C-alpha cells in the first residue's frame, strides 16, 4: 500500500529540470520529521532511499509501522490521494482481521464498522460547526489518548469524551453544567426520554466518582479504567453527539 499509493505516486523527476524533485522534498520531510535523522544522510539515489524506507518498515516494531502509516496519511502532496490511501489501508486491516482502523487520520484500536462510523461522524459534525470547536478538541484528544500505542491514557481519554458531551450540551442550551444542560434541552425543543437522560446523568456521575479518579484527584482506593472503558465512553459520547445534532437538524434548530 505504501509503495502503490505513496512512493510510486510522488514524482522522482522534475519537469522544470531542477535538481530538487517532489520525491526529494518528501524524503527531506520523512528524514527530518519522522526518522529524526539528518537530511544529509539521505541516500544519493532514489532507489536507495526507497530501500532504506522498506528496510525500516519491515524491521520496525508493529507500532512503528502504524506510526509510519499515520505519518504518511498526514502529509499533503498533490500527487498523493490521501483518501484513497486511508481507504486502502482500512480495507487491508479489515481483510487481515486487524483490531485497528483509521479514524480521523489516527489508527485507532477500534475495528467494529458501526463504532468507527459513529466516531468519525461525530468528529465531522463538531468540526463543521464553529460553536462546537471545543467539543471537537475534546473528542480529538480522547481519540489521541486512546490511540497512543506506546502510552495510552485511558483515564484522560474518558475525561475528554465526557467533556465533549458537556461542551455540546452547554453550547445548545447556554447552561453552565452538563446536569443543567441535560435538563434544559427540552426547553430548546429537544425532547429526550427520561431514562435516556438519566443514563447520561449516571455516566457523568461515574466520571465524577472519587473512586474512578477521572475528573478528581486520584485517591488510594481507585479503579484504573482500561481500554474497554475508554472505548465504550468514546463510542457512546460520539453517538450521543450525533443524536443531538440529528435532533437539531430534524427540529430546524440552528447550530452556529
Amino acid at each position: 500500500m505504501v509503495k502503490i499509493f505513496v512512493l510510486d505516486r510522488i514524482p522522482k523527476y522534475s519537469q522544470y529540470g531542477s535538481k530538487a524533485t517532489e520525491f526529494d522534498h518528501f524524503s527531506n520531510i520523512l528524514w527530518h520529521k519522522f526518522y529524526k535523522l539528518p537530511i544529509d544522510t539521505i541516500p544519493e539515489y532514489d532507489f536507495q532511499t526507497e530501500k532504506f524506507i522498506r528496510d525500516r518498515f519491515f524491521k520496525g516494531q508493529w507500532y512503528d509501522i502504524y506510526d509510519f502509516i499515520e505519518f504518511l496519511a498526514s502529509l499533503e502532496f498533490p500527487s498523493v490521494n490521501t483518501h484513497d490511501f486511508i481507504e486502502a489501508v482500512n480495507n487491508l486491516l479489515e481483510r487481515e482481521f486487524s483490531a485497528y482502523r483509521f479514524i480521523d487520520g489516527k489508527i485507532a484500536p477500534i475495528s467494529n464498522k458501526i463504532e468507527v462510523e459513529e466516531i468519525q461522524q461525530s468528529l465531522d459534525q463538531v468540526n463543521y460547526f464553529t460553536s462546537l470547536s471545543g467539543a471537537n478538541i475534546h473528542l480529538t484528544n480522547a481519540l489521541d489518548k486512546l490511540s497512543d500505542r506506546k502510552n495510552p491514557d485511558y483515564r484522560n481519554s474518558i475525561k475528554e469524551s465526557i467533556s465533549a458531551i458537556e461542551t455540546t450540551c452547554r453550547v445548545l442550551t447556554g447552561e453552565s453544567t452538563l446536569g443543567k444542560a441535560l435538563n434544559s434541552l427540552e426547553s430548546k425543543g429537544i425532547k429526550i426520554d427520561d431514562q435516556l437522560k438519566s443514563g447520561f446523568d449516571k455516566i457523568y456521575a461515574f466520571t465524577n466518582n472519587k473512586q474512578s479518579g477521572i475528573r478528581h484527584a486520584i485517591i488510594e482506593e481507585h479503579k484504573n479504567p482500561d481500554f474497554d472503558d475508554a472505548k465504550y465512553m468514546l463510542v457512546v459520547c460520539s453517538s450521543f453527539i450525533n443524536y443531538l445534532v440529528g435532533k437539531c437538524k430534524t427540529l430546524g434548530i440552528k447550530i452556529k
Side-chain angles (χ1 to χ4, degrees):
M1 295 299 173
V2 170
K3 181 166 177 57
I4 294 173
F5 286 91
V6 180
L7 298 183
D8 286 351
R9 297 289 180 91
I10 300 177
K12 297 180 176 63
Y13 302 96
S14 173
Q15 59 179 323
Y16 302 107
S18 172
K19 183 178 180 180
T21 66
E22 192 172 324
F23 191 79
D24 291 331
H25 181 48
F26 164 77
S27 300
N28 286 340
I29 293 175
L30 186 62
W31 253 249
H32 178 64
K33 294 187 176 181
F34 185 76
Y35 292 142
K36 303 296 192 298
L37 294 172
I39 60 174
D40 59 6
T41 63
I42 298 174
E44 181 178 359
Y45 299 104
D46 294 338
F47 77 89
Q48 294 173 322
T49 301
E50 283 203 31
K51 184 178 185 305
F52 181 93
I53 295 171
R54 179 185 177 86
D55 290 344
R56 287 285 292 254
F57 183 90
F58 285 105
K59 291 178 182 179
Q61 298 292 330
W62 67 272
Y63 48 80
D64 293 326
I65 294 172
Y66 282 153
D67 288 346
F68 178 64
I69 293 173
E70 265 185 5
F71 180 78
L72 293 181
S74 72
L75 299 179
E76 295 183 2
F77 281 87
S79 55
V80 176
N81 189 316
T82 303
H83 177 270
D84 287 351
F85 174 59
I86 290 176
E87 185 176 13
V89 170
N90 271 344
N91 288 337
L92 180 62
L93 292 173
E94 182 177 359
R95 189 187 73 192
E96 297 300 323
F97 302 103
S98 170
Y100 288 79
R101 296 291 186 276
F102 254 118
I103 304 176
D104 200 47
K106 290 287 183 181
I107 297 182
I110 300 173
S111 58
N112 182 281
K113 187 175 182 179
I114 295 176
E115 293 175 344
V116 170
E117 289 176 351
E118 282 294 332
I119 297 170
Q120 185 62 66
Q121 182 184 357
S122 182
L123 284 161
D124 291 341
Q125 300 266 34
V126 296
N127 186 52
Y128 179 79
F129 299 106
T130 303
S131 61
L132 296 180
S133 60
N136 182 37
I137 292 172
H138 286 304
L139 270 185
T140 301
N141 286 341
L143 180 62
D144 286 347
K145 294 180 186 302
L146 179 68
S147 304
D148 191 325
R149 288 171 287 279
K150 297 178 183 177
N151 187 32
D153 188 350
Y154 301 132
R155 174 175 285 103
N156 281 312
S157 178
I158 293 173
K159 180 180 178 181
E160 294 288 351
S161 292
I162 198 67
S163 293
I165 287 290
E166 180 177 2
T167 299
T168 301
C169 290
R170 288 175 61 183
V171 166
L172 294 178
T173 63
E175 295 290 352
S176 58
T177 66
L178 177 59
K180 291 180 179 178
L182 286 172
N183 290 326
S184 298
L185 284 171
E186 189 167 347
S187 66
K188 301 294 181 180
I190 305 174
K191 296 182 180 180
I192 300 177
D193 181 84
D194 289 341
Q195 296 300 322
L196 180 59
K197 185 164 58 178
S198 174
F200 272 93
D201 274 331
K202 290 178 180 179
I203 288 176
Y204 188 64
F206 159 71
T207 64
N208 276 321
N209 189 320
K210 292 182 180 179
Q211 276 67 44
S212 70
I214 292 173
R215 295 175 67 91
H216 292 283
I218 299 174
I219 59 176
E220 291 185 8
E221 296 180 3
H222 71 280
K223 176 188 174 184
N224 284 318
D226 58 19
F227 165 75
D228 294 312
D229 296 325
K231 186 183 83 164
Y232 171 79
M233 288 297 292
L234 179 56
V235 173
V236 168
C237 290
S238 295
S239 298
F240 192 55
I241 288 174
N242 291 334
Y243 171 79
L244 290 175
V245 173
K247 284 287 187 181
C248 288
K249 290 179 179 178
T250 300
L251 296 168
I253 299 173
K254 293 184 179 181
I255 306 175
K256 296 181 180 180

mmCIF file of all heavy atoms in Angstrom, residues 78-93:
data_model
loop_
_atom_site.group_PDB
_atom_site.id
_atom_site.type_symbol
_atom_site.label_atom_id
_atom_site.label_comp_id
_atom_site.label_asym_id
_atom_site.label_seq_id
_atom_site.Cartn_x
_atom_site.Cartn_y
_atom_site.Cartn_z
ATOM 1 N N PRO A 78 0.395 16.893 -3.795
ATOM 2 C CA PRO A 78 -0.619 16.925 -4.857
ATOM 3 C C PRO A 78 -0.753 15.617 -5.620
ATOM 4 O O PRO A 78 -1.817 15.315 -6.166
ATOM 5 C CB PRO A 78 -0.135 18.061 -5.771
ATOM 6 C CG PRO A 78 1.315 18.241 -5.448
ATOM 7 C CD PRO A 78 1.435 17.911 -3.995
ATOM 8 N N SER A 79 0.302 14.834 -5.652
ATOM 9 C CA SER A 79 0.279 13.593 -6.424
ATOM 10 C C SER A 79 -0.254 12.407 -5.618
ATOM 11 O O SER A 79 -0.469 11.321 -6.173
ATOM 12 C CB SER A 79 1.689 13.271 -6.927
ATOM 13 O OG SER A 79 2.601 13.228 -5.838
ATOM 14 N N VAL A 80 -0.463 12.612 -4.334
ATOM 15 C CA VAL A 80 -0.919 11.516 -3.466
ATOM 16 C C VAL A 80 -2.364 11.762 -3.042
ATOM 17 O O VAL A 80 -2.688 12.820 -2.495
ATOM 18 C CB VAL A 80 -0.016 11.387 -2.219
ATOM 19 C CG1 VAL A 80 -0.561 10.311 -1.280
ATOM 20 C CG2 VAL A 80 1.417 11.066 -2.627
ATOM 21 N N ASN A 81 -3.214 10.779 -3.275
ATOM 22 C CA ASN A 81 -4.608 10.861 -2.852
ATOM 23 C C ASN A 81 -4.713 10.224 -1.472
ATOM 24 O O ASN A 81 -4.788 8.997 -1.343
ATOM 25 C CB ASN A 81 -5.517 10.139 -3.853
ATOM 26 C CG ASN A 81 -6.990 10.378 -3.562
ATOM 27 O OD1 ASN A 81 -7.425 10.321 -2.413
ATOM 28 N ND2 ASN A 81 -7.765 10.633 -4.601
ATOM 29 N N THR A 82 -4.706 11.060 -0.446
ATOM 30 C CA THR A 82 -4.701 10.567 0.932
ATOM 31 C C THR A 82 -5.949 9.759 1.245
ATOM 32 O O THR A 82 -5.892 8.743 1.954
ATOM 33 C CB THR A 82 -4.587 11.742 1.917
ATOM 34 O OG1 THR A 82 -3.409 12.501 1.614
ATOM 35 C CG2 THR A 82 -4.487 11.243 3.346
ATOM 36 N N HIS A 83 -7.083 10.198 0.705
ATOM 37 C CA HIS A 83 -8.344 9.477 0.954
ATOM 38 C C HIS A 83 -8.254 8.040 0.442
ATOM 39 O O HIS A 83 -8.650 7.087 1.132
ATOM 40 C CB HIS A 83 -9.503 10.209 0.276
ATOM 41 C CG HIS A 83 -10.821 9.516 0.419
ATOM 42 N ND1 HIS A 83 -11.271 8.589 -0.506
ATOM 43 C CD2 HIS A 83 -11.781 9.592 1.393
ATOM 44 C CE1 HIS A 83 -12.448 8.123 -0.125
ATOM 45 N NE2 HIS A 83 -12.783 8.720 1.023
ATOM 46 N N ASP A 84 -7.735 7.868 -0.773
ATOM 47 C CA ASP A 84 -7.600 6.525 -1.346
ATOM 48 C C ASP A 84 -6.622 5.683 -0.541
ATOM 49 O O ASP A 84 -6.831 4.472 -0.348
ATOM 50 C CB ASP A 84 -7.119 6.616 -2.795
ATOM 51 C CG ASP A 84 -8.206 7.111 -3.737
ATOM 52 O OD1 ASP A 84 -9.367 7.215 -3.288
ATOM 53 O OD2 ASP A 84 -7.882 7.411 -4.901
ATOM 54 N N PHE A 85 -5.551 6.321 -0.059
ATOM 55 C CA PHE A 85 -4.549 5.613 0.739
ATOM 56 C C PHE A 85 -5.163 5.105 2.039
ATOM 57 O O PHE A 85 -5.008 3.931 2.405
ATOM 58 C CB PHE A 85 -3.366 6.545 1.030
ATOM 59 C CG PHE A 85 -2.338 5.970 1.964
ATOM 60 C CD1 PHE A 85 -1.675 4.792 1.653
ATOM 61 C CD2 PHE A 85 -2.028 6.608 3.164
ATOM 62 C CE1 PHE A 85 -0.718 4.254 2.508
ATOM 63 C CE2 PHE A 85 -1.073 6.089 4.020
ATOM 64 C CZ PHE A 85 -0.415 4.908 3.702
ATOM 65 N N ILE A 86 -5.897 5.974 2.739
ATOM 66 C CA ILE A 86 -6.527 5.589 4.006
ATOM 67 C C ILE A 86 -7.558 4.491 3.773
ATOM 68 O O ILE A 86 -7.635 3.521 4.546
ATOM 69 C CB ILE A 86 -7.168 6.821 4.672
ATOM 70 C CG1 ILE A 86 -6.072 7.762 5.183
ATOM 71 C CG2 ILE A 86 -8.097 6.405 5.806
ATOM 72 C CD1 ILE A 86 -6.595 9.060 5.767
ATOM 73 N N GLU A 87 -8.338 4.629 2.719
ATOM 74 C CA GLU A 87 -9.360 3.616 2.420
ATOM 75 C C GLU A 87 -8.715 2.267 2.119
ATOM 76 O O GLU A 87 -9.195 1.221 2.577
ATOM 77 C CB GLU A 87 -10.207 4.066 1.233
ATOM 78 C CG GLU A 87 -11.364 3.134 0.922
ATOM 79 C CD GLU A 87 -12.259 3.640 -0.194
ATOM 80 O OE1 GLU A 87 -11.847 4.597 -0.893
ATOM 81 O OE2 GLU A 87 -13.350 3.088 -0.374
ATOM 82 N N ALA A 88 -7.611 2.279 1.375
ATOM 83 C CA ALA A 88 -6.910 1.034 1.045
ATOM 84 C C ALA A 88 -6.331 0.390 2.294
ATOM 85 O O ALA A 88 -6.387 -0.841 2.465
ATOM 86 C CB ALA A 88 -5.802 1.313 0.026
ATOM 87 N N VAL A 89 -5.764 1.214 3.172
ATOM 88 C CA VAL A 89 -5.210 0.690 4.424
ATOM 89 C C VAL A 89 -6.314 0.081 5.275
ATOM 90 O O VAL A 89 -6.163 -1.016 5.831
ATOM 91 C CB VAL A 89 -4.481 1.806 5.209
ATOM 92 C CG1 VAL A 89 -4.126 1.319 6.614
ATOM 93 C CG2 VAL A 89 -3.222 2.239 4.471
ATOM 94 N N ASN A 90 -7.452 0.764 5.392
ATOM 95 C CA ASN A 90 -8.561 0.227 6.181
ATOM 96 C C ASN A 90 -9.093 -1.085 5.601
ATOM 97 O O ASN A 90 -9.427 -2.007 6.347
ATOM 98 C CB ASN A 90 -9.695 1.251 6.283
ATOM 99 C CG ASN A 90 -9.532 2.182 7.462
ATOM 100 O OD1 ASN A 90 -8.756 1.908 8.383
ATOM 101 N ND2 ASN A 90 -10.250 3.292 7.459
ATOM 102 N N ASN A 91 -9.154 -1.155 4.277
ATOM 103 C CA ASN A 91 -9.597 -2.401 3.641
ATOM 104 C C ASN A 91 -8.625 -3.540 3.941
ATOM 105 O O ASN A 91 -9.043 -4.683 4.191
ATOM 106 C CB ASN A 91 -9.717 -2.212 2.127
ATOM 107 C CG ASN A 91 -10.907 -1.350 1.743
ATOM 108 O OD1 ASN A 91 -11.864 -1.224 2.498
ATOM 109 N ND2 ASN A 91 -10.847 -0.742 0.570
ATOM 110 N N LEU A 92 -7.334 -3.224 3.920
ATOM 111 C CA LEU A 92 -6.319 -4.232 4.217
ATOM 112 C C LEU A 92 -6.398 -4.671 5.679
ATOM 113 O O LEU A 92 -6.319 -5.868 5.990
ATOM 114 C CB LEU A 92 -4.923 -3.672 3.908
ATOM 115 C CG LEU A 92 -3.750 -4.626 4.177
ATOM 116 C CD1 LEU A 92 -3.857 -5.865 3.300
ATOM 117 C CD2 LEU A 92 -2.426 -3.913 3.944
ATOM 118 N N LEU A 93 -6.568 -3.701 6.580
ATOM 119 C CA LEU A 93 -6.679 -4.024 8.005
ATOM 120 C C LEU A 93 -7.896 -4.909 8.262
ATOM 121 O O LEU A 93 -7.843 -5.845 9.074
ATOM 122 C CB LEU A 93 -6.777 -2.734 8.826
ATOM 123 C CG LEU A 93 -5.527 -1.860 8.866
ATOM 124 C CD1 LEU A 93 -5.825 -0.538 9.572
ATOM 125 C CD2 LEU A 93 -4.378 -2.574 9.561
#
